[in-house]
Amino acid sequence: MRLNILREDLAPDAALPTGPTDIEALVVGFSARLRDLTGVASGSVALHEPEFGSEEWLLVKECLDTGWVSSVGSFVDRFETEIAAVSGAAHSVAVVNGTAALHLALRVVGVRPGDEVLAPALTFVATANAISYAGATPHFVDCEPHSLGVDPAALRAHLERVADRSGGAAVNRETGRRIGALIVMHVFGHPADMDALSAVAAAYELPLVEDAAESLGSRYKGKPCGALGRVGALSFNGNKIATTGGGGAIVTNDGDLAHRARHLATTAKTPHPWAILHDEIGYNYRMPNLNAALGCAQLGQLKGLLIKKRRLAARYIKGFADFAGLSSFIEPQYAASNYWLNAVLLDRDRAAARNAILGRANSDGLMCRPVWTPMHRLAIYANCPRAPLPVTEDIGERLINIPSSAKLGRR
Ligand SMILES: *Cc1c(COP(=O)(O)O)cnc(C)c1O
């Protein structure tokens, strides 16, 4: 059952009585309810822990036994084939981490130094950093409250205000810089509204890059996230739904883009029977075989991990449904989310209690975190161009991520 309990009207709520006892009850009650819902009676509960079975030990041992641990080996090929299949993509290139995958994605869609790249303000810093690595400047846009993904209507309205079309390219008329791409991110695994976003990208001839780092296994209108735009970036960091220790991948249906990404990721080395030649300045970004072995075993578990993640999410949503002062964050109607990270949203008149709630839950051993500091609030990105960001600002103050390890979703 879907419960529509996101309260996203942006008008400030009328002041309700929020005396100290009220807040204290919320702070204590939240920690107690959360403890109960995790099913872990005592001790600490991590925000996200990986889960390894016997296959993980077996495949990693095989690497050690055969000596194939580094950047060549059969597990890398197998991992790429499996990643492409899970993502519904024709091609995949495995790399050292998700940030490197994003960097390559921007390079291969043609982002150039001096460009701007549209990206959500509500994201992990890697999204913006990858833009910086490409020599470009992030241009932050707002998210919409149901998916937390980039808001297509707000994006279109913003581009109508600030973007000129000149010779096929979109140009920010305020800065004079070319807009080289649009990155969208599927926040906590919940797919952004890709059809509407693709339409805006097409109208401005912007290559659409998916930061699908958090959304392996999530579906948008039945289709897997990652290959819904020109190119997608996945992460297999230790805190993601499936891990290779550290790792990432590019997925795309465009064979030329995949070929170019692979070349750039392999120090741009040109094929030759014995000579060592490089035809441009590339990167050492290829995933080692040791990591890919772990990844192959993890992908074998993906279906079970997804079931456990969704079971945990359902338990939280049901368990917090009658809890006054907050609501659960639920996948958008068009999507089946992997529920990588569960979130609750404090009512606006309870937002001031956030830090006290976080303090109490963490001191009770329940690892909870605020959402990322929005990018435009970091000193390193404070001077970047941006659209109005009312939803990001609002969500940024009252969202709390709660323990989400798959193992908590065991029956
Ligand atoms: C994890 C993550 C990344 C980066 O992945 P790494 O593998 O840690 O480099 C990028 N974007 C988002 C949204 C992420 O959550």
Side-chain angles (χ1 to χ4, degrees), residues 316-327:
Y316 278 142
I317 290 164
K318 216 167 142 223
F320 279 121
D322 66 343
F323 192 91
L326 57 78
S327 51

Side-chain angles (χ1 to χ4, degrees), residues 235-254:
S235 168
F236 304 99
N237 190 32
N239 66 346
K240 299 294 172 16
I241 187 164
T243 185
T244 58
I250 275 189
V251 287
T252 180
N253 286 313
D254 184 324

Side-chain angles (χ1 to χ4, degrees), residues 97-99 102 123-124 126-127 185 211 213-214 235-237 240 247:
N97 58 52
T99 314
L102 274 171
T123 187
F124 178 55
T127 317
M185 201 272 272
D211 181 344
E214 306 181 353
S235 168
F236 304 99
N237 190 32
K240 299 294 172 16

Side-chain angles (χ1 to χ4, degrees), residues 118-119 139-144 149-165 170-171 173 179 182-184 193-206 208 386-389:
L118 298 161
H139 181 148
F140 298 116
V141 295
D142 208 9
C143 61
E144 67 89 29
V150 169
D151 182 331
L155 174 65
R156 189 182 285 274
H158 180 63
L159 288 174
E160 276 165 11
R161 277 192 307 272
V162 305
D164 274 333
R165 304 288 306 281
V171 172
R173 81 169 73 95
I179 302 175
L182 165 64
I183 304 185
V184 301
D193 189 357
M194 290 303 288
D195 283 349
L197 289 164
S198 300
V200 181
Y204 286 86
E205 287 177 61
L206 296 170
L208 180 54
R386 61 181 194 241
L389 302 168

